[in-house]
Amino acid sequence: MRHVIALDVGGTGMKAALVAADGTLLHEDRRPTGREHGPDAVVTAILDFAADLRAHGARAYGEGAAAAGVAVPGIVDDVNGIAAYSSNLGWKDVPLRALLSERLDGVPVALGHDVRSGGLAEGRIGAGRGTDRFLFLALGTGIAGAIGIDGRIEAGAHGFAGELGHCVVRPGGPECTCGQYGCMEILASAGAVSRAWAAASGDPEADAADCARAVEAGDPRATEVWRDAVDALAAGLVTGLTLIDPRVIIIGGGLAEAGDTLFGPLRAAVEERTTFQKLPLIVPAALGDTAGCLGAGLLAWDLLSVEVTA
């Protein structure tokens, strides 16, 4: 059975699958990245994992993978196949596409950014399926995004398109890790809510999920923290929808797990801020933590589609 390898490399772990042409996950596996052993060890772990997946496919389905897709964090030069930089993994300018293709006996390899790959999957087969224009945001430790146009993800001229988390929504606000002040990420990410609620509650171990539960219980301190984050998030989303005019905004990541506690006030806050803009649907992501891996598989199948067309 024809299939591809899909790999999603995170800060501490890797998710992988063998994916059939119809999107069926034929085989799934997970491994640690081994980042505690240094950046070279992470690359070795990726190559070994991919080789083992290819061997499994050959045994189980009678042939090795026809292509591979790998999604990685940080700054990614997907055109040249280079993992340019990742603070989490400690690497710089790693020619990952070439290394993987060599290890996999020359099969074509696609390299993508983890969030853009997740956005690709959500747009094609997840919450945005059938949508021609969408904006995907992952609300985790930070905020990253992806712009979907006609079934593909717009990376931008330099690979930075969709980084809505670094739009300034409160000039003069707290300093962001990017060096600006008042970015949406520093105010409205799950990490930001965790920090604010830990300070407000006096519990240094408290996190965004705890804050959401406190909001649901009617705690006024939590309600204030939550309202502040939702307001900053809505401001950033209105900037995004003004620029992109999406039909759907898809929200994923840890903060989205709050469900209606997030989406109810967020939809209302966005609607209140819009004037001439068309209000898009604002929906939760559908694929969970498998989105990056599924997106990597789609990138691999896209390579094969291009080869057939050519």
Side-chain angles (χ1 to χ4, degrees):
M1 178 183 292
R2 202 165 191 234
H3 62 275
V4 298
I5 293 168
L7 266 168
D8 178 20
V9 181
T12 58
M14 298 182 284
K15 295 181 283 289
L18 299 180
V19 187
D22 63 358
T24 301
L25 299 180
L26 304 173
H27 171 74
E28 295 180 74
D29 199 0
R30 298 189 182 217
R31 288 185 187 179
T33 60
R35 67 174 182 172
E36 66 274 14
H37 302 299
D40 290 342
V42 175
V43 174
T44 298
I46 294 169
L47 299 180
D48 289 346
F49 200 4
D52 290 346
L53 289 163
R54 180 169 168 79
H56 176 85
R59 290 193 304 270
Y61 308 110
E63 59 182 308
V70 57
V72 299
I75 299 172
V76 180
D77 179 353
D78 48 9
V79 173
N80 294 304
I82 295 172
Y85 176 76
S86 171
S87 58
N88 286 335
L89 299 176
W91 61 29
K92 184 177 181 181
D93 295 331
V94 178
L96 196 55
R97 184 173 67 194
L99 292 172
L100 265 173
S101 184
E102 180 181 0
R103 184 65 179 271
L104 297 175
D105 300 325
V107 302
V109 173
L111 179 67
H113 183 269
D114 55 353
V115 173
R116 289 200 293 268
S117 297
L120 177 68
E122 284 289 352
R124 284 199 199 169
I125 61 177
R129 186 169 188 167
T131 301
D132 59 347
R133 297 287 191 282
F134 70 89
L135 177 63
F136 170 73
L137 280 187
L139 309 180
T141 303
I143 296 179
I147 300 167
I149 301 174
D150 293 332
R152 64 179 181 83
I153 298 298
E154 174 55 55
H158 307 97
F160 299 142
E163 292 291 347
L164 198 62
H166 294 292
C167 285
V168 173
V169 295
R170 288 189 192 149
E175 185 176 8
C176 182
T177 55
C178 75
Q180 297 188 109
Y181 292 84
C183 288
M184 182 167 65
E185 176 175 299
I186 202 67
L187 296 162
S189 63
V193 173
S194 294
R195 290 188 297 272
W197 179 232
S201 66
D203 178 2
E205 301 299 320
D207 61 14
D210 296 322
C211 185
R213 286 189 287 269
V215 170
E216 292 161 8
D219 188 312
R221 299 169 302 167
T223 299
E224 183 178 353
V225 167
W226 199 258
R227 185 186 300 116
D228 190 59
V230 168
D231 181 71
L233 182 57
L237 290 183
V238 171
T239 296
L241 70 88
T242 302
L243 291 171
I244 302 164
D245 188 26
R247 296 187 193 279
V248 180
I249 295 176
I250 304 166
I251 308 289
L255 208 60
E257 294 175 8
D260 287 342
T261 302
L262 173 67
F263 286 92
L266 179 60
R267 292 180 182 119
V270 170
E271 183 172 7
E272 183 179 351
R273 286 175 174 270
T274 56
T275 54
F276 67 90
Q277 304 95 333
K278 292 293 185 181
L279 192 67
L281 294 174
I282 300 176
V283 299
L287 302 176
D289 72 349
T290 65
C293 190
L294 290 168
L298 291 172
L299 291 174
W301 280 113
D302 283 354
L303 281 180
L304 298 175
S305 297
V306 169
E307 287 186 352
V308 169
T309 302

